[in-house]
Amino acid sequence: MVFFNNMAHQDPLFHREGYAAQMAEQLLNPGPLDESARSGVFLSGIRRVGKTTFLRQDLIPALESRGALVIYVDLWADRTKNPATLVHEAVRHTLLQLQTPGSSLLQRLKGLTIGAGGLSLGLQLDKLGEPGGTTLAQAFDTLVEKAGTHVVVIIDEVQQALGTEEGQSLLHALKASRDAVNAKPGTPGRFFFIGTGSHRSLLAEMTTRRSQPFAGALSASYQVLGKDFVQWQLERIGTQSRAVLPSLDAAWAGFQTLGHRPEELLKALRQLQQVSGTDTDTAWQIICSTLAGAVADTDLKAVEDLGELGKAVFERIAAGGDQGISGVFGAESLAFYAQRIGSPVDASQVQKVVDKMVGAHLVIRPSHGVYTIADPFVRQVWRDKLALLPPPTTPAAAGEGRRR
């Protein structure tokens, strides 16, 4: 049992300035081994490990401190909107802010050569990205020229753009923007693209498949939070009260069990405060193991709510692994669903279920006719739970057993 008392007030956020500075330098000033970063950077890491917090609180400030103008878009910010719509809205908002004297964005970018009166871009923004309107390539080319600096576009959960034709067109438009700016002789700045996501294999394919617009870009893994974060969290909680805390080594082991998820670490520490009269580290291990299995419960509950056919379809898609599976509506798959639920199934029924799964972001379609589970962690938890269950019994087999 460890107690921390009367420690100085701490920043409520754990900053990763060193990691952010390294990434910003590799992007804006790449060495010979990092030149693929100019083609784009795709950063993968499972959900809820702090990627978005790092982007907002550390990487964006690091890029801006080096003179870059950053446009950030989270494709999960509003799941009712098409990814292309979210990006166009973010770009339009940024450009309008840059043209508005005294705007909050201009105040934040005082270090750039943009005057307080803003920029005069001369662009028609009401139909940005629409047929006949200003293209993203035109917008970014003008922006770099007028602002005289680098522009960095960061799209969080970029794999969501793969699921629609509009999203695919958006990725090609961003690639065209990169080419339009970076291939221009004497340009005062460059266009950089960072895509982050929770689906490692899909992000890897976006940089390796020739059919993808960002083929050749740099693919990297997000560096999850380490033991220093765990120690910081223990010390931070210890300043507030005489808290019951595990040892640092036990806390670190538990954090790894929880998949390096900061929210789950805090939840586990809250539960630990309810434990008394037992070995703290032992209780901590039990709490972490229990919570680790519950991390995916929200998504799995959504699958359960789709009924027996929904669970059968999800099982079929989950069996496809990271690469996904085709033939979800084919004869072999229909026979699989029928066996699972004990009644015939047609393709239209499956289509309705799949549409609901895509709409709930349980499943994504990386390419035509191919489906995969959106979150690999959820897929693994689902498969682990299935492995603990007895083999499914079809109604016909059950009847045969009763006759015997």
Side-chain angles (χ1 to χ4, degrees):
M1 187 177 297
V2 180
F3 300 104
F4 294 91
N5 293 293
N6 302 318
M7 297 184 69
H9 174 73
Q10 295 184 353
D11 188 327
L13 290 174
F14 180 79
H15 290 284
R16 309 182 70 187
E17 296 174 349
Y19 183 29
Q22 177 188 26
M23 189 178 296
E25 280 298 313
Q26 287 179 326
L27 184 70
L28 301 179
N29 302 296
L33 298 178
D34 301 316
E35 288 183 352
S36 57
R38 293 202 183 278
S39 297
V41 176
F42 286 75
L43 194 65
S44 63
I46 61 174
R47 287 168 59 191
R48 298 164 62 188
V49 292
K51 295 192 304 296
T52 297
T53 300
F54 168 73
L55 293 174
R56 288 177 175 272
Q57 302 298 330
D58 294 311
L59 183 58
I60 290 176
L63 290 167
E64 289 182 345
S65 70
R66 288 162 173 78
L69 196 160
V70 183
I71 300 175
Y72 169 83
V73 189
D74 183 357
L75 297 189
W76 275 358
D78 186 347
R79 300 190 189 187
T80 65
K81 291 184 177 180
N82 187 284
T85 300
L86 288 172
V87 172
H88 289 142
E89 286 179 351
V91 174
R92 186 183 301 111
H93 175 74
T94 299
L95 297 181
L96 287 172
Q97 287 267 303
L98 289 171
Q99 296 180 99
T100 304
S103 68
S104 58
L105 180 58
L106 287 177
Q107 291 295 316
R108 198 173 81 234
L109 299 177
K110 286 182 178 179
L112 298 184
T113 57
I114 303 173
L119 294 176
S120 176
L121 298 175
L123 297 171
Q124 293 295 324
L125 300 179
D126 55 333
K127 292 186 177 181
L128 178 69
E130 297 180 12
T134 301
T135 66
L136 286 178
Q138 290 170 334
F140 285 122
D141 183 30
T142 301
L143 177 57
V144 169
E145 187 67 33
K146 297 283 187 177
T149 191
H150 300 310
V151 171
V152 181
V153 173
I154 302 177
I155 298 185
D156 212 350
E157 299 300 342
V158 68
Q159 76 275 350
Q160 296 303 118
L162 296 173
T164 64
E165 291 184 8
E166 294 92 339
Q168 291 278 7
S169 296
L170 167 69
L171 294 174
H172 282 280
L174 289 169
K175 187 260 187 183
S177 301
R178 181 198 70 188
D179 294 346
V181 174
N182 296 351
K184 189 175 181 179
T187 179
R190 290 181 175 271
F191 176 95
F192 297 96
F193 178 79
I194 300 176
T196 76
S198 54
H199 206 294
R200 186 185 305 273
S201 65
L202 287 184
L203 262 69
E205 286 190 12
M206 293 175 79
T207 66
T208 56
R209 293 182 61 180
R210 292 185 178 181
S211 59
Q212 291 293 327
F214 285 94
L218 177 66
S219 178
S221 296
Y222 170 73
Q223 293 180 15
V224 294
L225 291 159
K227 195 173 183 178
D228 56 341
F229 167 75
V230 176
Q231 181 173 5
W232 171 85
Q233 191 66 279
L234 293 179
E235 294 175 350
R236 175 173 171 265
I237 293 173
T239 65
Q240 299 174 0
S241 63
R242 194 171 174 80
V244 179
L245 299 174
S247 65
L248 177 57
D249 287 341
W252 169 235
F255 187 52
Q256 294 176 84
T257 299
L258 293 167
H260 296 262
R261 290 175 167 87
E263 290 181 6
E264 299 304 316
L265 175 66
L266 199 57
K267 187 184 298 183
L269 288 168
R270 283 197 296 266
Q271 290 192 17
L272 186 63
Q273 306 313 302
Q274 311 304 317
V275 176
S276 62
T278 186
D279 179 68
T280 303
D281 282 358
T282 299
W284 170 255
Q285 292 171 2
I286 295 171
I287 290 171
C288 290
S289 296
T290 303
L291 283 177
V295 168
D297 278 356
T298 300
D299 283 348
L300 296 184
K301 176 62 166 57
V303 176
E304 296 281 346
D305 290 344
L306 291 172
E308 294 303 314
L309 179 57
K311 290 190 287 186
V313 173
F314 194 84
E315 179 183 350
R316 184 73 168 172
I317 296 174
D322 284 347
Q323 305 304 317
I325 188 172
S326 59
V328 172
F329 310 103
E332 185 178 341
S333 293
L334 294 179
F336 174 84
Y337 309 141
Q339 182 185 39
R340 281 289 188 266
I341 70 174
S343 63
V345 177
D346 61 45
S348 64
Q349 292 174 283
V350 178
Q351 183 69 65
K352 291 179 181 178
V353 169
V354 171
D355 288 345
K356 289 180 179 178
M357 288 182 176
V358 172
H361 299 274
L362 296 169
V363 165
I364 56 178
R365 189 183 68 176
S367 59
H368 181 71
V370 177
Y371 293 87
T372 186
I373 306 303
D375 189 336
F377 180 77
V378 173
R379 184 190 69 240
Q380 188 57 50
V381 172
W382 171 269
R383 296 180 67 174
D384 289 346
K385 289 186 175 182
L386 281 183
L388 298 175
L389 298 175
T393 303
T394 65
E400 180 66 24
R402 286 193 295 271
R403 287 193 293 273
R404 291 179 183 175

